[in-house]
Amino acid sequence: MELPFAEAWKIKMVEPIRKSTRAEREKWLEEAHNNIFMLKSEQVYIDLLTDSGTGAMSDRQWAALMMGDESYSGARSFFEFKDTVTRLTGFKNVIPTHQGRAAENVLFSYLVKQGNVVPGNAHFDTTKGHIESRKAFAIDVTTDEAKDTQLEAPFKGNVSLEKLEKVLKENQGNVPFMVLTVTNNTVGGQPVSMKNIRETSELCHKYGVPVVMDSARFAENAYFIKIREKGFENKTIKEIAKEMFSYVDCMTMSAKKDGLVNMGGFIATNKDDWYEGAKKFCIPFEGFLTYGGMNGRDMAALAVGLDENTEFDMLDTRIHQVQYLAKKLDEYGIPYQRPAGGHAIFVDADKVLTNVPKEEFPAQTLTCELYLESGVRACEIGYILADRDPVTRENRFGGLDFVRLCIPRRVYTNNHMDVIAASLKNVFDRRDSIKHGVRITWEAELMRHFTVQLERIK
Ligand SMILES: *Cc1c(COP(=O)(O)O)cnc(C)c1O
């Protein structure tokens, strides 16, 4: 008999979690203004809010923490971290920051001017925020394949070269860089092919525009290239990742994702002028150049995390778990962005809550229903997250409306996946009785989803 698939690790430390009653959850969600970001973690049974900073570190990472060098300048931990980044990416200049958005803040403070245009394949929310808050414009150039959630295509995170060229042509001299996000989080953790990375960069370079890779999940992207793209099946994840970076000019990184740490980020580039320019913003915003917002021990654990998570078995374990959950949803007929992405399942809420109009935020409504059902905390990646148009102040209903079931790395077992799937099935089975959604009672101007307050429409 062929042996079944199993995790490439065993568990050394556990953390208790607690179930709650429906009555408790009703009260807690009301107190949280129907915004799951406002819940306390003890009020959550299985937490799928994010895979950001929520992974389990390995014994080797915990050991590295103890060896952290906390010197203000010239810390050994910085050089170990920097050398790891250079070895994995080929970039020699490395600026540490406290997380990914801080890397964006430091780099964009140098690069983005009012009125600039920055194309990208579905900018991440903080990336978009850092562009728009500088009165510049983030233009989405993702392939249209991504919009059809039921279409099975291997690289739905890809850039549409046609859309990109149009933006580059119409805005010559006004595009400081292009952002290439891997995997493409916003459209469902969908990967970008090596061919598309190469062609995107060639096109940008033809117009004299550098490319910044938003690399939060670069290792998962490399895994999908190995599994799905011809010519890469025999390459290692490390070889594939290095080739991905070889086409672009710079990377920003949220190390809380594929770096396997709770906090951290960085910028890396071979462009000496960008390095010099960004350095000036690192010191006042983040800290001195050899710690930039991280402890020595964080950098030590990150160096180990980057190395571990660019090994095939680690990624294979993770992606298998996401696919295990996807298979359950298939069994129950629940529609999600196909095929399953790298770090999460993105449930297509508009197709589930067909009675709830767009204006009442179906994905946010489904997120609330799922929490009330069982204490599973998912996250809306939809119309609320999309924010309002900066010019018209209208809600942006043009994109997709997802509930993201985001799987932390090395944290839950497949039994937890069974509970998640069953909870969603119970909501799905009574979907026709859900006729009303939610209404916004308070919102921030930018990145409103974190703090928005909502009431349930009766
Ligand atoms: C998480 C993330 C960021 C922002 O990083 P933080 O560490 O959360 O500040 C930027 N881009 C992408 C694609 C991300 O997933």
Side-chain angles (χ1 to χ4, degrees), residues 295-352:
N295 298 302
R297 55 180 174 273
D298 294 341
M299 293 186 284
L302 174 52
V304 178
L306 285 169
D307 238 340
E308 272 183 5
N309 207 32
T310 44
E311 288 298 321
F312 179 78
D313 286 350
M314 208 48 79
L315 293 158
D316 201 34
T317 295
R318 168 160 181 69
I319 309 287
H320 263 84
Q321 185 164 56
V322 176
Q323 289 171 348
Y324 176 88
L325 177 58
K327 237 194 230 150
K328 287 264 152 195
L329 300 194
D330 285 343
E331 229 175 86
Y332 304 149
I334 300 171
Y336 59 86
Q337 172 72 294
R338 308 188 73 88
H343 63 294
I345 302 290
F346 289 66
V347 178
D348 190 347
D350 282 16
K351 285 200 169 62
V352 175

Side-chain angles (χ1 to χ4, degrees), residues 231-247:
F232 293 92
E233 44 290 84
N234 296 319
K235 292 210 153 74
T236 65
I237 298 294
K238 285 185 166 66
E239 286 167 341
I240 295 170
K242 200 153 184 181
E243 183 175 339
M244 286 163 54
F245 290 119
S246 75
Y247 299 120

Side-chain angles (χ1 to χ4, degrees), residues 52 98-102 104 124-127 181-183 185 214-217 253-257 264:
S52 180
H98 78 274
Q99 57 185 98
R101 70 198 64 189
E104 291 163 357
F124 184 69
D125 56 346
T126 62
T127 318
T181 306
V182 296
T183 55
N185 183 355
D214 183 351
S215 317
R217 298 182 185 81
M253 178 74 187
S254 169
K256 303 170 69 170
K257 321 300 183 13

